[in-house]
Structures are given as structure tokens and as C-alpha cells.
Amino acid sequence: RNFQRLEGANRHAEGHNPLCGDQITVYLHMDGEVIREISFQGAGCAISQSAASLMTTALKGKTKAEAQELFAKFHDMVTGEGNGADPMELGKLAVFAGVREFPVRVKCASLPWHTMRAALDGKDEAVSTE
Ligand code: ZN
């Protein structure tokens, strides 16, 4: 879902996961603090692509603060850090809880999120999981 270059995007960032070869570009159309539209393009494994797809559906219409909060919960879930997010709060994103058992795959699942956050912050440099 939302696999396209976003016309009218006013933020974007690129991310790479050298360990797996995943590459992603995340596009945002911010309207003030709100994510009006979000899309991505890239190539990589099924985990990174599906994580990006679900991320875009989860974040559309969210505020910057809500997106950062969801990033933190998702990150805690896939890394097993923090207090462990409540799967109910993560909705469909909870399907990625299983990658916690596979450290290499954690980077695949979190790459789209790190890239999205860089785009939110308006950073120009590319994100790397290394
Ligand atoms: Zn991957």
C-alpha cells in the first residue's frame, strides 16, 4: 500500500539497511503538524516492504507527536526494549512482534520507521541501520 512517489511531498528521507540490502525512501506531505499523506518507494526483503506498507497506513492523518509516539512503541516492541508495548495499541503493527527473536530482521522492520522519523525531522542525510 502507498508504494509510490508522493506528488506534493514536502519532506522525504532515504534509508538503507546494508545488512540485508533494503533501501527505502519515505515521502511525507505535512500540513503543519499533521501527516496528510505518506508514501514510500524502495526495494528490499518482504519484511521491510510490508513494514513500510503498514507504517504508511498507520501514520496517515496522525500528528508528528503521535507518529513519534508510535515509533517509540513499535521500536520497543521489535527490540524488546522498554516496558513492552501493549499490542492492542499497535493494532496491525503487532504482527511484527515476532522479529524480536531475529536481530537481523529487527533492522528490516525498523528501517522504514527510522527513515520516516528522519523525514519528520527534516533531515537531509540518509539513514542507515549500521
Ligand atoms: Zn531486510
Side-chain angles (χ1 to χ4, degrees):
R1 303 232 180 137
N2 303 308
F3 187 94
Q4 59 184 342
R5 188 186 174 91
L6 187 62
E7 297 299 327
N10 48 18
R11 307 263 182 95
H12 77 280
E14 292 175 22
H16 306 280
N17 176 13
L19 220 58
C20 179
D22 306 316
Q23 293 192 356
I24 187 168
T25 303
V26 173
Y27 299 95
L28 296 175
H29 180 193
M30 299 298 295
D31 183 359
E33 289 291 301
V34 177
I35 300 172
R36 281 281 168 238
E37 294 289 344
I38 175 169
S39 72
F40 74 102
Q41 280 191 314
C45 67
I47 291 176
S48 66
Q49 298 288 294
S50 57
S53 173
L54 274 172
M55 178 185 78
T56 59
T57 59
L59 293 182
K60 188 174 172 180
K62 293 275 196 297
T63 65
K64 185 176 177 180
E66 287 169 339
Q68 285 168 335
E69 189 181 347
L70 202 54
F71 172 93
K73 285 179 181 161
F74 184 82
H75 188 264
D76 284 354
M77 179 184 70
V78 296
T79 58
E81 290 171 8
N83 299 321
D86 179 353
M88 292 302 286
E89 288 183 73
L90 284 160
K92 284 182 181 172
L93 298 171
V95 299
F96 290 99
V99 302
R100 183 186 306 156
E101 312 295 327
F102 307 95
V104 174
R105 293 307 186 190
V106 169
K107 293 184 174 181
C108 300
S110 57
L111 176 68
W113 289 84
H114 284 291
T115 308
M116 175 280 296
R117 191 168 63 170
L120 265 186
D121 291 343
K123 287 180 184 162
D124 268 341
E125 72 265 34
V127 173
S128 174
T129 55
E130 292 303 295

